[in-house]
Amino acid sequence: MAEEFIPFDPAEALDSKEVIGIFLAKALESGDDNYIALARSIAARAKKIHHLTEPIELPPETLRKATQAS
């Protein structure tokens, strides 16, 4: 019997600006440019799906790490 897969869109699970911020923070921490680009596109889609208009704030620790890495 073949396994049945159910389509999953991660953008649907990102339902608040706080959750999106954490998601983006984890992507930034990875340091992988391709993963960061993918996470940004997922986050943008999530904002559209859930009609979020306010800016996404990253956790302060992530911002500090991101600015130190540059």
Side-chain angles (χ1 to χ4, degrees):
M1 179 176 197
E3 255 185 275
E4 186 177 334
F5 292 97
I6 299 170
F8 174 74
D9 182 0
E12 292 178 9
L14 303 175
D15 58 359
S16 71
K17 68 177 192 167
E18 291 81 14
V19 173
I20 295 172
I22 293 167
F23 177 74
L24 289 172
K26 293 296 181 185
L28 284 172
E29 288 174 9
S30 76
D32 181 332
D33 291 338
N34 291 326
Y35 181 64
I36 293 167
L38 177 61
R40 290 181 65 188
S41 69
I42 292 169
R45 199 167 65 251
K47 285 183 69 174
K48 273 181 125 172
I49 289 170
H50 299 292
H51 307 288
L52 303 174
T53 57
E54 61 272 350
I56 303 302
E57 296 178 15
L58 295 175
E61 179 67 16
T62 301
L63 291 174
R64 185 182 63 75
K65 286 179 183 178
T67 56
Q68 287 179 344
S70 300

